[in-house]
Amino acid sequence: MAELRYDHQVVVVTGAGSGLGKEYAQLFAARGAKVVVNDLGGSIHGTGSGASKAADDVVSAIKAAGGIAVADYNSVEFGDKIVQTAIQNFGRIDVLVNNAGILRDITIKNMTDEDWDIIMAVHVTGPYRTTRAAWPFFKKQKYGRVINTSSSSGLFGNFGQANYAAAKLGLVGFTETLAKEGLKYNILVNVLAPGAGSRLTETVWPPDMMAAMHPKWVAPLVTTLAHPSCKETGSIFEAAAGHFSKIRWQRSDGLLLRADETLTPDVVLCEFAKIGDFNSKGARSDGVGNMMELLEKGSKLPKNNIEKSLDFNGR
Ligand code: NAI
């Protein structure tokens, strides 16, 4: 099998001074890419910055292995500056991995606006600003690959992470929209929800789990999604410890009720179990169906009726 190469490509990895980003940067560089290693060098809670060491160390390791890389110390909140680093040093940008991240774990009751705002700034505004800055270059060259980093916390929720989960699921909507906007320019955008032993997980995971979940076992999916031969877009993947999977939304077949004065809360309660029935044949994973078709069908239905009294468990 031919080795996937990234020669002549310029890859920006945000938050590449440690953990997952560091592995992505090193793998891209080992396969020929010129890499911008972005990291502002702060704490896991988003405090402190200006520690250039994290990015510098990764750049040194890449250069020592014969690769090409440059460090960038800007916060992703100023993503346009990160893209400028790529343009100034290498004259182009082909791949953007929005990976930088922090945590502010706290339950909703005790959450402050600052806990909320900083998570949104790093995880949502950061990828937005960086991607927006890269977009004109992608569009002009009719080529771009973007990988946005979500989390199982965003996809499924996690205790004490309402801020982080909201931001991480926000990136899914961001990605699904950009995949549509980018398709005709060959700009492909996907989401990755990784799992890896890093400084974000070392306080909660035991050492053997940290070892098994080394970030290097996630990196091959990121590089694959970023390769010119990969045509995937608008998709959500999970990767951890060498296990790779794809996630999709699924809509139940649902129930079409006649939209008139008989469509009351009582009718909805009565039909609640059918609305949420995933076992029927018509369950779908795509977007909004044909509304006009549904309206037409609905208008031909008999008047809605409360057949029997049900509670919310459908009993
Ligand atoms: P990490 O803490 O080892 O690496 C994150 C890097 O981002 C750090 O080097 C940090 O300095 C940098 N960073 C933070 N804020 C930044 C900013 N404003 N601008 C530039 N750089 C900044 O963490 P890890 O685990 O490698 O996380 C990478 C990404 O993966 C994050 O987005 C995280 O939320 C996500 N993730 C990680 C999981 C895991 O199991 N490790 C699980 C799910 C998602």
Side-chain angles (χ1 to χ4, degrees):
M1 201 194 334
E3 184 180 276
L4 291 187
R5 299 282 311 172
Y6 303 85
D7 304 293
H8 314 298
Q9 294 219 353
V10 175
V11 176
V12 171
V13 183
T14 69
S18 66
L20 288 154
K22 176 180 169 180
E23 293 300 325
Y24 305 157
Q26 289 184 323
L27 185 54
F28 275 118
R31 299 253 169 161
K34 297 174 184 127
V35 182
V36 174
V37 177
N38 158 264
D39 207 298
L40 94 171
S43 76
I44 66 164
H45 303 300
T47 50
S49 66
S52 53
K53 198 173 174 322
D56 287 346
D57 284 353
V58 176
V59 170
S60 299
I62 288 173
K63 286 184 174 168
I68 303 170
V70 65
D72 175 280
Y73 316 114
N74 290 293
S75 169
V76 286
E77 294 155 274
F78 309 101
D80 51 325
K81 292 185 182 165
I82 303 172
V83 173
Q84 269 315 307
T85 299
I87 302 304
Q88 275 160 12
N89 284 274
F90 303 127
R92 59 185 292 128
I93 174 169
D94 300 282
V95 176
L96 170 61
V97 185
N98 286 312
N99 164 79
I102 56 167
L103 290 175
R104 281 287 180 101
D105 292 2
I106 193 153
T107 57
I108 186 81
K109 182 173 155 286
N110 297 319
M111 191 173 290
T112 64
D113 284 349
E114 199 214 333
D115 295 325
W116 178 269
D117 291 343
I118 194 169
I119 289 291
M120 293 300 150
V122 173
H123 289 282
V124 181
T125 308
Y128 152 65
R129 295 238 170 93
T130 316
T131 309
R132 186 184 62 177
W135 203 260
F137 296 99
F138 291 157
K139 198 172 158 188
K140 196 163 171 214
Q141 70 202 12
K142 291 209 165 31
Y143 185 86
R145 297 286 184 270
V146 182
I147 292 105
N148 292 318
T149 309
S150 186
S151 165
S152 59
S153 303
L155 300 172
F156 308 112
N158 196 21
F159 191 94
Q161 292 195 320
N163 49 359
Y164 181 76
K168 289 303 201 185
L169 191 59
L171 286 176
V172 174
F174 180 65
T175 300
E176 289 173 345
T177 299
L178 295 191
K180 289 180 167 67
E181 293 184 11
L183 192 59
K184 70 177 170 187
Y185 305 110
N186 192 21
I187 307 171
L188 308 185
V189 191
N190 289 287
V191 172
L192 170 66
S198 76
R199 58 184 208 154
L200 292 191
T201 45
E202 67 187 352
T203 52
V204 279
W205 289 358
D208 53 343
M209 188 165 166
M210 288 288 290
M213 304 275 285
H214 195 284
K216 71 180 165 204
W217 306 131
V218 172
L221 178 61
V222 171
T223 49
T224 301
L225 289 171
H227 196 263
S229 65
C230 181
K231 302 301 176 200
E232 189 78 26
T233 195
S235 299
I236 309 167
F237 292 90
E238 287 181 310
H243 180 264
F244 303 96
S245 54
K246 200 169 171 180
I247 301 254
R248 66 181 183 194
W249 299 106
Q250 191 174 23
R251 180 187 292 115
S252 68
D253 193 18
L255 178 70
L256 184 60
L257 294 166
R258 187 176 162 129
D260 65 11
E261 70 290 347
T262 63
L263 180 39
T264 63
D266 322 274
V267 169
V268 172
L269 176 58
C270 181
E271 302 289 10
F272 211 66
K274 282 189 208 155
I275 291 168
D277 180 8
F278 279 96
N279 295 319
S280 60
K281 282 200 300 265
R284 323 164 35 144
S285 304
D286 56 355
V288 181
N290 185 336
M291 270 300 153
M292 293 315 290
E293 211 176 281
L294 282 179
L295 288 176
E296 201 190 323
K297 267 195 207 160
S299 67
K300 291 181 183 147
L301 289 171
K303 299 256 177 196
N304 303 306
N305 193 9
I306 306 170
E307 292 156 2
K308 55 186 173 173
S309 163
L310 288 175
D311 65 20
F312 261 106
N313 293 319
R315 288 179 295 232

